[in-house]
Amino acid sequence: MTSPFARRLTRLLWDWLSWALATVFVVGSRYDFQLNVVLWASVGMYTLTACALQAVIGAIGMLYRGRYRIATFEESVGLAATTGLVGGLLAVWFIGLSEGITFP
């Protein structure tokens, strides 16, 4: 039997993997996976920022602290709200506020 901490950490790592794969797939397909080193660096920074925000906002919303039962409608709503908030914050930051960052 696994500990509650290990189960929660596994869910967080799964969400991080999802952010990473989605970002690489979307940006890579946009440029036919022909990105130079500078663009990959900003994709990496975007992914790390997304993962950090997902962890913080998920912890605040108790997504990873056992508030929801797994695979319930309530968990889906909580995950969608967390992901939407993270996506919105990322859009504001990378598109609106950071002028020196080149993000595809």
Side-chain angles (χ1 to χ4, degrees):
M1 189 179 257
T2 60
S3 70
F5 176 76
R7 287 190 302 263
R8 293 172 186 162
L9 181 62
T10 301
R11 282 185 253 157
L12 177 63
L13 292 174
W14 182 261
D15 289 345
W16 285 356
L17 179 66
S18 299
W19 272 108
L21 291 176
T23 303
V24 169
F25 179 75
V26 168
V27 173
S29 63
R30 164 75 172 87
Y31 290 98
D32 294 326
F33 294 95
Q34 300 297 320
L35 297 174
N36 62 26
V37 175
V38 174
L39 293 179
W40 277 117
S42 45
V43 167
M45 185 172 58
Y46 179 89
T47 303
L48 290 175
T49 305
C51 290
L53 284 173
Q54 182 74 26
V56 169
I57 295 172
I60 291 170
M62 297 178 63
L63 188 63
Y64 307 114
R65 295 191 294 172
R67 178 178 185 179
Y68 306 106
R69 288 182 40 145
I70 296 175
T72 61
F73 179 75
E74 290 80 16
E75 183 195 28
S76 298
V77 171
L79 185 58
T82 302
T83 304
L85 185 56
V86 169
L89 290 172
L90 287 169
V92 167
W93 175 256
F94 278 89
I95 295 171
L97 298 177
S98 11
E99 298 173 11
I101 298 174
T102 303
F103 186 74

